[in-house]
Amino acid sequence: MSSSTSNSKAVNGKILLAMILVMGGAVLLMRLLYLAMGADANNIMGRVVEAREALPQIVKEPDDLMIFFGSSMVEAGFSPRQFDRELRAKDKTVKSFNFGFGGLNPYFQDYLSRRIRDEFLHNQRRIKLVVIEFNPFQTTTTRWQGANDIVDSFLTMLASDAELWDIAQKDPERGALLFNIKYLRNDISAEMFSSYIGRQIFPQPQPIKIEEPKELIELRSKAGQQLTERFEQDYPNYTDADWYYPWQGGGTIPEERSPETLEWFKKYYSTFQNSANKENARQRRIASADIEGLHFEPLLVDSFINIVNNFQEVADHVEVVIMPRQVGLINYSEAAQTRLNKVVAEIENATGVSIINQQELPQFTADMYRDATHFTRYHGDVEYTRLTVETFAHYFEP
Amino acid sequence: MIFNTPLFFLFFAVFFLCYGFVFLRHKPRVYLIITGSLIFYGAWNYHFIPLLVGSAVADYFIAQAIGTSQDPRHKKRLVTLSIIINLGVLALFKYADFALESVASLLNWAGYPVAMTTLSWVLPVGISFYTFQSLSYTIDVYRGDMKPRKGLAEFVAALSFFPQLVAGPILRARQILPQMHALNWPSWLEAKHAFLLITVGLIKKTGADLLAVPAEAAFAAPETLSTLEVWTGVIAFAGQIYGDFSGYTDMAIGLALLLGFKIPLNFRVPYFAISPVDFWRRWHISLSSWLRDYLYISLGGNRTGHRTRNVLITMLLGGLWHGAAWTFVAWGAFHGVIITATHYLGQLAYFRNFNQSTSRLIKFFKWAITFYLVLISWVLFRAENLSDAMTVFLDMHRFSESATLNIQAIVLFGIVCVWILLTHVMDHFVIKKGESLTQQPWLLWPLLVLGQLLCLLIGEPSNEFIYFQF
C-alpha cells in the first residue's frame, strides 16, 4: 500500500468518524432537549398510547366486547360503564370501551384501528360490536391541512414497522425520514417541533372572540376548582391516566358522586350556556374544521372506509353513526349537505354498512353541549349513552 | 433525493465508504462516481438518465471531433451541432409549452382563436445546469481555450457529478475535468472546511424553509395583509431564495470537497451589494459568469458599441433560463434595465463622484437602493403571473387598511430581517475566516454540532429546493 493511499485512508477515516460524531452529538443533544421538555409519544398522545397498551388486557376480557371508536365527541359522549350497567339491567353481560380520541383525524384513526385489529387477530378474539363515529368535520380538507405539521410524527407513533417499510418501498425518501423520526428523533419530527415553537412565538389568533359575561367566567373558575377538589377526594386511587382501564376509557359516572358534587357540575356547565361561548366555539370549528362548509378530503374519506374495513375483520357487527349535532348553532349550507350525502353514500357503498344519522334527534338540546360539539358530563353523555343502549342492545344476547 | 434528508445522509455515507475505503484505484472510482450520480439522479426520475448520459456522450464525441478537425468551417458546424443538441433538448423539455401557449395567447388576442395542444412533459431535474455545463466544454474546445480530453467515463462522471448535478454551481469543463482525472483526496483541513460549509448550508436551507411561510402568505393573498406584512413576505422570499439556493450550493461545495473536488464559490454575500452590477458579481456567480463568457462576449460584449443591447439580451435570456414564464422574462428584463441604468449613470460626472465616494452614508444609500431594486425583482420572480406581481408591488407601496398592524407583524418583520442579516454575516465570516476557524477545533466542532442540532430541531414540511425546477 502506497503512503498516499494510507494517508488518504487515514483522512477518510477521520472524515467518517467526524460525520458520526457530529451527527451523533447533535442527535444526542436533541434527545436530551426532548427529554427535558417531556416531548414524547406518551405526553403527546397519552390517551392513545394508554388505550393501545390496554389492548392485551381487553382481548382477555371474558364478556362480550363492545368498542365505541371515534373522535373527542365519543370520548365526551359515551360512558362505557353506564352502557354496561344498563345492558346488565336487561340481563345482558357486556364489557364496553370508549375509544374516542381528540386530535386524531381518520388518517390517524385508520392506523390506530389497524393496531386494534392486529391485536384481536393475533389473539383470535372477536368483538361483538364496534360502533364507529363518522365525524363529518374531522374529514374535511381544512382539518387535514391543519394536521400538516404532525402527520409524520403521529404516523410513526401509530404505524407498525412493517407499514413504515411499505411506505419506504414506495417512497424511499419518505420511508427513510419516517424511520429517522421513529428511531432517532423520539417520534418528534422537525415540523412538529418548529410548529410548536412557532405557536409559542406567534399564537394563532382566534377567528373572533366575543367576551363572555365576567360573572359566568368567575363562577366557572370557582366551580372548576370545587370539582377538582371533590374529584381528588372521591377518587384517591386514580392514577392520572388519560385512558383509565377501570373506567374502560370513559369518565366518571353520576352514580358515584354526591348530590352536592352533581349540583356543582350543573353550575359549572350552566356557565357555558351563553351565546358568546357558543359562538366562539362555532367560529373556532369553522376556522379549524370547516364544520359548516364540509369540503371533504378524499384521503380522509378513504381512511374512514379503511377503519370500517379494519374492524369488519375482527367484529361480528360494525355500525357507523353520525353523532348528534347542535342544530341551531351548527348549520350546514345546502352545498355542504349535498357533499355530506355524497360522502355518506360513498362510505355505505364501499363498506356495505348503512350509516345511522343521529344528527338531528330532538332529545339532544343545546344545554347538553358544553361547546359547539361536545356533550356535557352527567347530562349530555348520559342521554347519548342511553340512546346507544337503545340503538344497539339487540346485538347482545341475554 | 435532496441533501437535507436522512435518505441522502444514508446514500452519502454508503457512497463515501465505497469511495474512500473500497474502490481506491482510479478507474473504479470514476465508475463509482458515475454509478452513485446516476442513482442519485434516478431517485427523482430514472427515465431521464439516458438524456443526461446522451448529452454527455454527444458532447464528448463532438469535442473530440472539433479537436481533431483542421477545418474551421467543420469546427463551426460541430459546435453549432452541440449548441443545437443542448439547447434543443432544453427548448423541447422546458420551453415548448411556454412557446405554444404564448403563440396561442397572441393569436387569441389578435382575433384568431386557436386550441393549442401542449406537450405537458415533465421537466428533467437539473437540465438547465447540466446542459450549460456540457455546452461550455464544446465551446471551450472550439474557441481553443482547452484541448479535448480523452476518457469518456471521466467526462460522464464530471457532467453527472452528483453534488452539483441538479442545482449547480455550473462548472466549466476546464474546472472539473482535470480534477476528475487527478482524483485527489482531500486534506484533513479541507475536510474540516467541507464540514463547515455543509453545516452552514444546512442552516441556511432550514431557515429558508421557515421563511417560505410568510413569503407564501404575502404572495397568496397580499390584499388581506397590512403593508408591513407584504414587505415582510417579500423580504422573506428574498431570504428564502438566498438561503435555499446558496445553502444548497454550500452543501454541494462541501460534499464535493469531502470527495476531493474543489468547486468555486457561487455566492458572495449578495445582499451586501451596492449596485445591480455588484449584485450579479455576488449572486449565482457560476451562471452570471457563464452568461458573460458564452453569451455576452459572443454578442460582442462592451466592444461593439452595443453594450446596452447585449446586456439586455443577456439578462433577458438569463431570466428565461430560470423558467419558462413571462414573470422570469420580466425579471431578467428588469435586471437588464437596472444594470444598463447603472452603466449610464456611471458615465455622468455627478454620479461618477457619487460612485467613487468612500462615505459610509453614501455607501449605505447605494446599498439601500440596490436592495430595494433586488426586492422588486424578486416580486416578479416569485409571483404566479405579471398581474399578481403588480398587485404585490402596489400593495408594498400603499398603506393598506384591510389588515391592522399588530405586534406580531412587527416581530416577524424583525425576525426575517435579522435572519437575512445573520446569514450574510455568517457567510462573510466563512469566506473571510473559515480557514482559520478550521484550525481551532475547540470552537469548530461544538459549532458544527450546534449547527446540526438547529437543523435537526426545526424544519418545515415543504422542503424542496426552489432551484431544482430550473
Side-chain angles (χ1 to χ4, degrees):
Chain A
M1 191 183 286
S2 72
S3 67
S4 93
T5 306
S6 66
N7 280 346
S8 66
K9 272 196 169 178
V11 172
N12 290 340
K14 281 164 106 175
I15 291 173
L16 204 60
L17 188 66
M19 279 203 281
I20 293 164
L21 288 179
V22 170
M23 286 309 293
V27 169
L28 184 71
L29 284 177
M30 178 183 67
R31 296 288 295 247
L32 287 173
L33 182 70
Y34 287 165
L35 193 68
M37 293 173 70
D40 59 26
N42 281 327
N43 280 327
I44 290 165
M45 49 166 68
R47 183 173 159 81
V48 176
V49 172
E50 286 162 12
R52 205 169 53 184
E53 284 170 356
L55 285 170
Q57 199 177 339
I58 293 172
V59 295
K60 291 193 180 81
E61 289 287 347
D63 301 331
D64 278 349
L65 295 174
M66 183 273 197
I67 284 177
F68 202 143
F69 186 87
S71 70
S72 59
M73 283 170 63
V74 172
E75 183 184 350
F78 175 66
S79 172
R81 288 189 291 160
Q82 181 194 335
F83 182 85
D84 293 2
R85 207 183 52 247
E86 292 196 18
L87 280 183
R88 228 176 356 257
K90 297 176 193 282
D91 290 331
K92 297 175 178 189
T93 312
V94 179
K95 189 90 168 178
S96 64
F97 293 93
N98 183 325
F99 271 72
F101 305 96
L104 292 192
N105 64 44
Y107 181 77
F108 303 126
Q109 287 178 333
D110 175 18
Y111 281 92
L112 178 60
S113 68
R114 295 181 203 191
R115 301 291 75 79
I116 299 170
R117 176 201 63 190
D118 293 349
E119 189 69 33
F120 278 85
L121 283 176
H122 179 71
N123 288 279
Q124 296 179 316
R125 177 76 206 268
R126 291 190 70 77
I127 313 168
K128 189 76 178 173
L129 170 68
V130 174
V131 180
I132 305 168
E133 175 216 9
F134 173 64
N135 187 321
F137 68 84
Q138 288 283 2
T139 317
T140 60
T141 300
T142 306
R143 200 67 174 159
W144 178 237
Q145 285 168 345
N148 218 10
D149 296 332
I150 57 168
V151 169
D152 289 348
S153 282
F154 275 29
L155 191 55
T156 57
M157 291 176 198
L158 294 168
S160 66
D161 281 354
E163 285 161 349
L164 295 184
W165 182 241
D166 279 345
I167 294 171
Q169 285 174 313
K170 286 175 202 142
D171 182 351
E173 191 145 342
R174 183 156 162 71
L177 176 74
L178 292 173
F179 275 110
N180 170 272
I181 293 170
K182 182 160 189 170
Y183 289 105
L184 289 180
R185 308 182 60 102
N186 206 23
D187 291 323
I188 311 295
S189 69
E191 291 79 34
M192 183 186 244
F193 186 84
S194 55
S195 71
Y196 169 77
I197 299 293
R199 280 197 304 276
Q200 306 304 308
I201 304 171
F202 303 109
Q204 286 290 308
Q206 276 195 27
I208 59 160
K209 173 79 177 168
I210 307 168
E211 289 302 323
E212 291 182 67
K214 221 178 198 174
E215 62 276 13
L216 286 183
I217 293 176
E218 281 166 10
L219 178 59
R220 189 183 302 162
S221 169
K222 190 178 162 195
Q225 208 174 340
Q226 272 291 328
L227 290 173
T228 305
E229 284 169 15
R230 283 164 187 270
F231 178 83
E232 282 164 2
Q233 285 165 16
D234 293 352
Y235 301 97
N237 298 324
Y238 177 68
T239 59
D240 212 21
D242 290 318
W243 196 95
Y244 192 46
Y245 201 97
W247 297 346
Q248 296 153 231
T252 55
I253 50 175
E255 287 75 10
E256 296 168 348
R257 315 308 296 268
S258 67
E260 294 79 23
T261 304
L262 294 181
E263 200 50 46
W264 274 111
F265 260 105
K266 265 189 193 162
K267 279 185 198 162
Y268 178 69
Y269 283 120
S270 71
T271 68
F272 293 93
Q273 305 306 320
N274 66 81
S275 57
N277 170 58
K278 291 285 175 89
E279 184 56 23
N280 287 339
R282 172 176 169 265
Q283 290 295 336
R284 278 198 299 273
R285 284 295 188 196
I286 289 173
S288 67
D290 188 22
I291 195 170
E292 294 189 345
L294 296 184
H295 294 84
F296 290 97
E297 176 64 36
L299 173 77
L300 295 183
V301 176
D302 289 346
S303 296
F304 185 80
I305 291 167
N306 290 343
I307 297 167
V308 179
N309 292 335
N310 292 335
F311 279 118
Q312 281 175 327
E313 286 186 51
V314 289
D316 293 343
H317 306 283
V318 173
E319 292 280 8
V320 178
V321 297
I322 304 181
M323 286 178 69
R325 171 166 55 95
Q326 203 171 159
V327 180
L329 181 70
I330 305 296
N331 299 302
Y332 297 154
S333 64
E334 205 173 306
Q337 186 61 57
T338 308
R339 283 190 282 273
L340 176 59
N341 294 344
K342 202 174 153 209
V343 163
V344 164
E346 186 185 339
I347 295 168
E348 288 180 338
N349 283 337
T351 62
V353 177
S354 294
I355 295 180
I356 300 168
N357 187 355
Q358 301 171 331
Q359 287 191 95
E360 296 185 14
L361 296 177
Q363 66 264 43
F364 295 98
T365 49
D367 61 327
M368 291 182 185
Y369 295 87
R370 63 175 148 88
D371 53 25
T373 51
H374 296 100
F375 283 125
T376 56
R377 188 168 291 181
Y378 302 164
H379 186 194
D381 65 340
V382 169
E383 191 60 36
Y384 185 69
T385 305
R386 198 164 290 145
L387 172 72
T388 310
V389 172
E390 283 166 17
T391 314
F392 301 115
H394 64 276
Y395 281 121
F396 301 95
E397 288 152 17
Chain B
M1 210 185 320
I2 50 181
F3 291 165
N4 60 337
T5 58
L7 186 63
F8 180 79
F9 184 81
L10 266 179
F11 164 81
F12 189 76
V14 172
F15 181 86
F16 189 80
L17 274 174
C18 298
Y19 189 79
F21 298 96
V22 183
F23 297 88
L24 297 176
R25 289 171 56 204
H26 184 272
K27 249 191 180 169
R29 284 170 75 199
V30 171
Y31 285 111
L32 182 66
I33 289 174
I34 295 174
T35 310
S37 298
L38 295 186
I39 290 171
F40 175 81
Y41 193 70
W44 271 288
N45 194 333
Y46 59 86
H47 293 106
F48 293 122
I49 289 176
L51 193 69
L52 169 67
V53 177
S55 287
V57 171
D59 280 328
Y60 174 80
F61 285 111
I62 288 171
Q64 294 297 322
I66 293 172
T68 52
S69 173
Q70 301 300 320
D71 178 3
R73 282 184 305 175
H74 185 55
K75 284 185 180 197
K76 196 169 190 174
R77 278 198 293 273
L78 287 167
V79 79
T80 307
L81 177 66
S82 170
I83 292 170
I84 288 170
I85 290 173
N86 283 292
L87 296 187
V89 166
L90 200 56
L92 197 61
F93 281 96
K94 192 164 174 175
Y95 300 109
D97 280 353
F98 173 60
L100 289 171
E101 283 163 8
S102 298
V103 168
S105 299
L106 193 67
L107 289 173
N108 284 339
W109 176 78
Y112 301 100
V114 286
M116 198 83 83
T117 310
T118 54
L119 300 176
S120 302
W121 286 358
V122 176
L123 182 68
V125 173
I127 189 169
S128 306
F129 291 92
Y130 71 73
T131 50
F132 268 36
Q133 195 159 311
S134 192
L135 199 51
S136 75
Y137 177 53
T138 50
I139 296 174
D140 280 354
V141 172
Y142 170 73
R143 286 177 173 175
D145 291 341
M146 72 178 293
K147 287 190 172 155
R149 296 185 74 100
K150 289 281 177 198
L152 176 62
E154 282 179 19
F155 185 72
V156 174
L159 194 72
S160 64
F161 187 46
F162 70 86
Q164 49 78 240
L165 171 62
V166 291
I170 302 166
L171 290 177
R172 309 291 174 84
R174 55 177 178 262
Q175 289 170 320
I176 181 85
L177 277 177
Q179 296 191 66
M180 195 57 76
H181 186 68
L183 284 185
N184 292 322
W185 298 103
S187 68
W188 177 231
L189 202 65
E190 285 168 343
K192 285 193 281 186
H193 196 234
F195 280 121
L196 184 63
L197 284 171
I198 292 168
T199 305
V200 165
L202 266 176
I203 292 172
K204 285 198 278 183
K205 170 62 186 157
T206 306
D209 288 340
L210 295 173
L211 290 177
V213 179
E216 171 64 27
F219 282 90
E223 65 283 355
T224 63
L225 304 177
S226 67
T227 308
L228 180 71
E229 286 168 323
V230 176
W231 273 93
T232 303
V234 173
I235 296 172
F237 180 68
Q240 184 199 353
I241 195 161
Y242 174 66
D244 188 278
F245 192 22
S246 77
Y248 181 89
T249 49
D250 284 348
M251 286 186 266
I253 294 166
L255 290 165
L257 196 53
L258 283 181
L259 303 174
F261 289 83
K262 289 171 187 150
I263 297 179
L265 270 184
N266 207 22
F267 291 87
R268 203 179 288 274
V269 283
Y271 294 145
F272 285 171
I274 53 171
S275 76
V277 176
D278 188 27
F279 176 76
W280 280 101
R281 289 191 188 121
R282 296 159 175 266
W283 180 272
H284 201 174
I285 297 165
S286 63
L287 175 69
S288 50
S289 62
W290 197 101
L291 290 172
R292 182 195 62 210
D293 294 348
Y294 298 105
L295 181 59
Y296 182 68
I297 290 175
S298 298
L299 290 168
N302 301 343
R303 290 166 302 173
T304 57
H306 294 295
R307 183 161 80 165
T308 301
R309 183 201 67 181
N310 296 343
V311 166
L312 284 172
I313 291 174
T314 304
M315 295 314 293
L316 264 176
L317 292 177
L320 204 54
W321 177 89
H322 282 84
W326 287 108
T327 47
F328 292 114
V329 176
W331 176 75
F334 179 78
H335 273 284
V337 168
I338 60 176
I339 288 170
T340 303
T342 311
H343 287 152
Y344 174 73
L345 291 173
Q347 290 165 354
L348 302 177
Y350 176 78
F351 279 99
R352 219 175 4 249
N353 295 338
F354 179 78
N355 262 347
Q356 286 162 0
S357 168
T358 52
S359 153
R360 284 190 175 180
L361 188 66
I362 288 180
K363 272 193 174 170
F364 177 80
F365 187 65
K366 282 158 66 178
W367 166 81
I369 291 175
T370 306
F371 189 59
Y372 169 77
L373 291 172
V374 170
L375 284 182
I376 298 303
S377 78
W378 288 137
V379 173
L380 290 166
F381 193 95
R382 173 62 174 78
E384 290 291 316
N385 51 54
L386 292 174
S387 156
D388 285 1
M390 184 53 78
T391 306
V392 175
F393 177 78
L394 291 175
D395 284 337
M396 285 170 77
H397 295 91
R398 67 176 164 218
F399 182 72
S400 165
E401 292 172 2
S402 60
T404 51
L405 189 61
N406 57 49
I407 188 73
Q408 283 194 8
I410 296 169
V411 170
L412 185 61
F413 179 78
I415 290 175
V416 167
C417 292
V418 167
W419 179 257
I420 294 177
L421 183 65
L422 275 180
T423 53
H424 272 58
V425 169
M426 186 167 67
D427 279 351
H428 184 71
F429 181 79
V430 170
I431 292 167
K432 296 277 178 194
K433 308 267 182 195
E435 241 169 66
S436 67
L437 181 62
T438 55
Q439 288 164 343
Q440 298 172 57
W442 54 271
L443 185 60
L444 175 72
W445 297 113
L447 277 179
L448 293 182
V449 171
L450 288 176
Q452 292 289 342
L453 174 67
L454 183 73
C455 301
L456 281 175
L457 285 176
I458 56 174
E460 273 296 307
S462 55
N463 56 357
E464 278 292 331
F465 285 94
I466 295 175
Y467 260 71
F468 283 7
Q469 61 187 293
F470 307 138

